Amino acid sequence: MAFATRPAFSAMADSAVRLKPGRERSVLQRHPWLFSGAIAGVDGSPGMGDTVEVLDARGLWLARGAFSPNSQIRVRLWTWDRDEPVDDGFFARRLGRSIDRRRLLLVSGEADACREVHAESDGLPGVIVDRYASFRAVQLLSAGAERWRQAIVEALAARADVDGIYERSDVSVRELEGLPQRTGRLWGDEPPAATVIQEAGLRYQVDIRTGQKTGFYLDQREHRRLARQGMDGAEVLNAFAYTGGFTVAALQGGARSVLSIDSSAEALEMGRANVVLNGLSAEACQWTVADAFAELRRLRDRAARFDVILLDPPRFAATAAQADRAARGYKDINLLAFKLLRPGGRLFTFSCSGGISPELFEKIVAGAALDAQVQAAILRWLGQPSDHPVVLNFPEGRYLKGLICQRLA
Ligand code: SAH
């Protein structure tokens, strides 16, 4: 080993974790998570989010990361470069690099909203930054991210195009880290109740302070664009519609009518506003506040039929352990959707459950078509957009998948 001839490590942190023999493999492969079971012992007494050196069983330096005493993911790695300190400059550099990677997306003037930092996949475990025009919504999901909140906010605030930064750390994963949920203004202006963003010539209102996630489903941007095609005169059903992202896209594409279903009345209210904001026909829209599972059944019982159906449910399974129950949920709604689809009609169906692989999702959808006694073809496989990248050493970052299916008969 080349490392063996070097000094054990040049400690930049006061504390270190020593791995059990043979457990350095994932670290060497640059996987950013170190589970508690891999750790033989801790030297020093690192606090929540403190930086620790990671050493193999022989004491050789491997990486540097953030200690999280309460989480099964005991250390999230910041760097594999022994000369790179974890300090304010580190966060400014990583943020800058991550944001620069998005330039291609924004330069075209296509959108002024995107995910600027996608946590582990951008070298900043636990840190999410979403851009909504001149505002930024931030989620700090891990002990390490929390420890460096000041540095992260200052680095973001220093950017020329930022008027306000708002925290949306109201997510349950923080509890696994022993952190309370938190929301509020972090810097600059408080975002208004509705921030207007641009996306491929359409405009959407986003409630950064209380909307779902950080306000908008940025990860569906490219699919909203796809959903504008082939819509001429279509009767559309948008289930799990949220603030009408797909509704507006379908109308812009020429849809004759769109029925949008969601369990959240506030989300659909903003959906109505989004239709008006784009000068599209409010009369073409119907908004139903309901449980989509029950409503799809009701529509089936009434023998309703649609030319295009969009199914974009919330996450049913975060992990593979919950996959069974989630699979039943996906099967159920996709089966109903196939029955509601006219021959020749298209189904846009999605899963954002990390615990359901693309292969399994495809199987579930195939099973649903079979049980619905419908012949269908996959026209397209869909996934994450470029601002939600999946870094190759962190496959866990892959969560969104979708299919465009066509009912043949
Ligand atoms: N397609 C949307 C995002 C959908 S997110 C977009 O592109 O913006 C999932 C949505 O499902 C959320 O709006 C949530 O309120 C809604 N939802 C969750 N459970 C539901 C249920 N059982 N019935 C109907 N809607 C539900």
Side-chain angles (χ1 to χ4, degrees):
M1 285 280 291
F3 278 159
T5 58
R6 299 193 192 164
F9 65 96
S10 47
M12 289 193 182
D14 296 334
S15 312
V17 300
R18 278 172 288 103
L19 300 188
K20 292 176 182 166
R23 298 303 289 268
E24 67 283 358
R25 203 180 149 82
S26 74
V27 182
L28 291 171
Q29 290 172 344
R30 299 209 166 202
H31 193 283
W33 292 350
L34 199 53
F35 287 92
S36 58
I39 296 173
V42 180
D43 301 329
S45 44
M48 183 110 97
D50 283 351
T51 303
V52 291
E53 311 287 350
V54 177
L55 313 177
D56 75 5
R58 292 173 301 165
L60 299 177
W61 192 92
L62 296 169
R64 191 168 284 132
F67 192 71
S68 184
N70 302 302
S71 173
Q72 284 299 310
I73 306 173
R74 193 55 47 88
V75 182
R76 284 175 204 247
L77 301 176
W78 293 126
T79 180
W80 286 260
D81 174 355
R82 69 174 69 202
D83 298 323
E84 186 173 40
V86 179
D87 54 13
D88 291 0
F90 171 89
F91 289 92
R93 278 193 309 280
R94 288 276 165 110
L95 270 166
R97 194 179 75 185
S98 185
I99 293 168
D100 286 347
R101 287 173 75 190
R102 269 74 180 172
R103 267 213 191 118
L104 275 178
L105 190 79
L106 298 177
V107 154
S108 62
E110 264 240 326
D112 62 1
C114 76
R115 175 150 294 187
E116 288 191 326
V117 179
H118 190 46
E120 272 78 352
S121 298
D122 280 305
L124 286 169
V127 182
I128 301 277
V129 179
D130 286 337
R131 174 183 175 189
Y132 296 110
S134 67
F135 289 99
R136 300 296 181 275
V138 171
Q139 288 185 323
L140 304 172
L141 305 174
S142 61
E146 176 73 24
R147 161 72 182 75
W148 291 96
R149 67 164 48 233
Q150 192 68 20
I152 293 164
V153 171
E154 276 170 17
L156 263 182
R159 300 193 66 92
D161 55 355
V162 181
D163 287 339
I165 306 172
Y166 198 83
E167 177 165 19
R168 286 300 306 273
S169 300
D170 46 337
V171 272
S172 56
V173 287
R174 264 175 72 98
E175 280 145 28
L176 300 176
E177 301 274 325
L179 300 167
Q181 301 197 12
R182 247 177 106 157
T183 61
R185 193 185 67 92
L186 287 170
W187 180 87
D189 299 342
E190 172 112 3
T195 298
V196 176
I197 60 157
Q198 316 265 348
E199 196 186 84
L202 293 174
R203 297 195 293 160
Y204 293 102
Q205 293 190 353
V206 177
D207 180 352
I208 295 169
R209 292 179 310 199
T210 63
Q212 294 182 26
K213 291 207 347 179
T214 62
F216 201 56
Y217 288 82
L218 292 169
D219 53 3
Q220 291 286 29
R221 178 193 316 105
E222 290 173 5
H223 305 146
R224 281 189 282 274
R225 183 137 205 189
L226 275 177
R228 287 156 74 164
Q229 295 167 10
M231 281 288 173
D232 226 12
E235 292 182 278
V236 178
L237 168 61
N238 182 11
F240 308 95
Y242 188 50
T243 55
F246 284 120
T247 303
V248 169
L251 287 171
Q252 174 72 21
R256 173 145 51 110
S257 66
V258 185
L259 165 59
S260 306
I261 303 168
D262 202 282
S263 54
S264 161
E266 303 83 61
L268 291 187
E269 209 42 61
M270 198 168 252
R272 277 180 212 269
N274 281 331
V275 168
V276 173
L277 182 66
N278 288 283
L280 295 163
S281 165
E283 293 76 50
C285 299
Q286 202 189 320
W287 307 89
T288 303
V289 181
D291 170 45
F293 289 81
E295 192 59 24
L296 289 172
R297 263 192 189 85
R298 252 196 300 280
L299 289 166
R300 178 203 58 192
D301 293 345
R302 268 196 257 140
R305 290 291 178 270
F306 298 91
D307 302 302
V308 178
I309 299 177
L310 296 130
L311 282 186
D312 185 21
R315 191 171 69 175
F316 293 157
T319 63
Q322 301 155 343
D324 270 358
R325 209 176 52 97
R328 282 196 292 280
Y330 288 119
K331 172 89 175 275
D332 195 20
I333 51 175
N334 280 281
L335 197 160
L336 289 163
F338 276 123
K339 289 199 164 167
L340 290 169
L341 208 56
R342 293 199 174 101
R346 289 174 303 148
L347 168 65
F348 290 62
T349 181
F350 298 97
S351 160
C352 59
S353 300
I356 301 275
S357 71
E359 295 72 26
L360 177 56
F361 185 58
E362 201 176 307
K363 265 192 207 145
I364 294 167
V365 173
L370 195 67
D371 287 6
Q373 296 181 304
V374 157
Q375 257 216 346
I378 296 173
L379 303 183
R380 237 176 135 142
W381 286 261
L382 308 174
Q384 282 164 235
S386 57
D387 56 336
H388 293 64
V390 182
V391 81
L392 288 171
N393 46 299
F394 185 65
E396 291 88 342
R398 187 170 186 189
Y399 68 97
L400 180 64
K401 58 249 151 224
L403 299 167
I404 304 179
C405 295
Q406 185 171 35
R407 177 170 171 178
L408 304 174

